[in-house]
Amino acid sequence: MTSQARRLERVAVAQAPSARPDRAEVEQAIRTMIRWAGDDPARDGLRETPDRVARAFEEYFSGYALDPTEILQKTFEEIEGYDEMIVLRGVRFESHCEHHMAPIVGRAWVAYIPQGRVVGISKLARVVDVYAKRLQIQEKMTAQIANTINDVLRPEGVGVIIKATHHCMTTRGAHKPGTDLVTSRMLGVFRDNALTRQELLGLANSDD
């Protein structure tokens, strides 16, 4: 095999998606991290920690196994012509920063103006959770929630506002507790109509 062929093979391997590790590999990696931190994973207080952390990670990142578009499939059309804003306010979520795997804790305001059909309000909260239960940055998560609702429901407009505290900034690095990040995604009439957008922003700010 030529050096060029070997180089291309290495590139192909590096670019190929890796197989999902099994539970034993995950727990061993956690033991390695404990040793790297300077402690002994075999001592009594840490002996069951790898199993506990693996189970916690299964919960933290359960969103990868769910399809948010399926959550929104069941809709209701008997709405008597209702065409005003629908807002689910202050949906609490916990996520994790994809840069440091540190917690992101916040709330989401999800709004849409229906066009002939609505969806159960719990489904909006579940869409927030699906994207939150993945490694994230807040900006992408905000866009994902809004884009999914817009693509599936085809409403007159969608507005999503997220306010969250990032532990990668408050408990490490810059060490700035008491700060939060606010992001928004406005589509359809929420983008085009300043009064509609302002109404949603007012509803979100009134909860502070």
Side-chain angles (χ1 to χ4, degrees):
M1 181 182 291
T2 66
S3 60
Q4 174 70 3
R6 283 194 296 271
R7 186 184 70 80
L8 292 173
E9 183 181 53
R10 286 196 299 271
V11 170
V13 170
Q15 292 178 342
S18 57
R20 190 171 187 227
D22 61 26
R23 183 65 171 270
E25 289 179 86
V26 173
E27 292 186 14
Q28 185 55 48
I30 295 164
R31 292 186 189 94
T32 299
M33 291 179 67
I34 292 171
R35 289 198 303 272
W36 177 79
D39 215 322
D40 178 9
R43 72 173 174 85
D44 285 347
L46 291 171
R47 191 168 295 152
E48 296 181 24
T49 296
D51 173 65
R52 293 190 185 105
V53 173
R55 282 189 283 114
F57 273 32
E58 286 175 342
E59 181 178 347
Y60 295 157
F61 306 127
S62 59
Y64 288 110
L66 300 172
D67 181 355
T69 63
E70 291 184 1
I71 294 171
L72 298 172
Q73 290 305 312
K74 183 175 182 179
T75 58
F76 306 95
E77 297 182 1
E78 295 179 358
I79 59 174
E80 298 295 330
Y82 185 90
D83 59 0
E84 299 295 331
M85 188 185 304
I86 297 169
V87 187
L88 188 61
R89 303 195 301 170
V91 181
R92 192 182 190 279
F93 68 86
E94 302 88 26
S95 189
H96 285 78
C97 162
E98 67 183 41
H99 300 142
H100 303 96
M101 296 182 73
I104 302 170
V105 180
R107 294 189 298 162
W109 286 256
V110 181
Y112 71 103
I113 295 178
Q115 187 167 232
R117 59 185 178 136
V118 300
V119 70
I121 57 173
S122 67
K123 303 302 190 293
L124 300 176
R126 288 183 62 196
V127 170
V128 172
D129 275 343
V130 166
Y131 286 118
K133 299 296 184 184
R134 302 178 182 188
L135 292 169
Q136 278 290 9
I137 62 171
Q138 185 174 322
E139 295 88 342
K140 182 173 74 172
M141 177 179 162
T142 307
Q144 287 173 324
I145 295 167
N147 292 345
T148 297
I149 294 170
N150 190 63
D151 291 344
V152 177
L153 298 185
R154 299 294 181 183
E156 295 287 345
V158 179
V160 175
I161 300 169
I162 292 180
K163 303 178 184 182
T165 297
H166 292 243
H167 285 229
C168 60
M169 179 174 176
T170 62
T171 63
R172 62 158 300 281
H175 288 282
K176 298 298 181 186
T179 61
D180 63 4
L181 180 67
V182 181
T183 52
S184 66
R185 172 76 158 169
M186 304 291 172
L187 301 173
V189 294
F190 287 95
R191 179 182 290 270
D192 300 333
N193 189 313
L195 291 176
T196 303
R197 182 169 61 252
Q198 192 58 45
E199 182 180 353
L200 174 58
L201 293 171
L203 288 169
N205 291 332
S206 67
D207 278 1
D208 287 345

